[in-house]
Amino acid sequence: MRNSGVEGVLQLTRCHPFLIQLLCAEIIVLKNEQDPSIRRFATLADVEAAIPEALQSGGFFFADIQNNQVDATGQAILRFIAAQGEGVIVSRQTLLQQFSDANITLNLLLQRELIEEIEDGYRFQVELIRCWFV
């Protein structure tokens, strides 16, 4: 659960340098349009409002993951996990039932650090990347 703007940025990006810069740049654009009395402090609402713009302006980054780093099965698995919601862990059994050839692809997604293994399931490592696949 994100409580502040700073925590929101860190949780959405998992401290990925490019994603921090991308999201903060969009927050700055948003803040510059606001009244000077509230411009100096980024709230969680500001961070959330900047997500769609960050996904659009950083589309090349996310498209590279989608188009060049994973195959069609990987894309389908990522979309499936993403659709379950923020931070949701999808069981290995569920993924194997949905995708018969998931084993090799799951290993690739783990190697690329797109997902992480939690107990006997998987979730996105980086929430902002999950947002792209929703």
Side-chain angles (χ1 to χ4, degrees):
M1 181 72 185
R2 296 182 279 274
N3 295 320
S4 72
V6 172
E7 287 176 13
V9 169
L10 296 178
Q11 289 178 3
L12 282 163
T13 64
R14 192 139 178 193
C15 298
H16 187 292
F18 172 75
L19 295 178
I20 290 173
Q21 291 178 27
L22 174 67
L23 190 55
C24 287
E26 295 303 334
I27 293 168
I28 289 167
V29 169
L30 177 74
K31 295 304 287 183
N32 283 340
E33 295 172 357
Q34 294 177 349
D35 187 86
S37 66
I38 61 170
R39 189 177 289 167
R40 296 198 183 274
F41 182 73
T43 66
L44 183 55
D46 295 323
V47 174
E48 298 288 336
I51 292 171
E53 293 302 320
L55 292 173
Q56 183 176 353
S57 64
F60 65 91
F61 174 86
F62 303 106
D64 180 64
I65 293 170
Q66 178 179 310
N67 300 326
N68 300 323
Q69 296 184 32
V70 296
D71 61 11
T73 302
Q75 290 177 28
I77 290 172
L78 291 174
R79 284 190 198 100
F80 182 82
I81 295 172
Q84 307 311 307
E86 180 177 347
V88 173
I89 299 167
V90 179
S91 75
R92 180 177 187 81
Q93 181 180 355
T94 298
L95 291 172
L96 292 174
Q97 287 172 348
Q98 292 287 323
F99 308 96
S100 59
D101 53 349
N103 273 326
I104 293 171
T105 303
L106 288 170
N107 288 333
L108 175 67
L109 297 174
L110 287 167
Q111 287 175 348
R112 298 233 185 258
E113 298 182 341
L114 295 171
I115 60 172
E116 61 186 347
E117 194 167 7
I118 306 289
E119 297 164 9
D120 192 32
Y122 303 92
R123 72 175 178 197
F124 272 82
Q125 270 199 10
V126 180
E127 174 59 17
L128 199 55
I129 294 173
R130 186 197 72 82
C131 292
W132 173 263
F133 282 94
V134 169

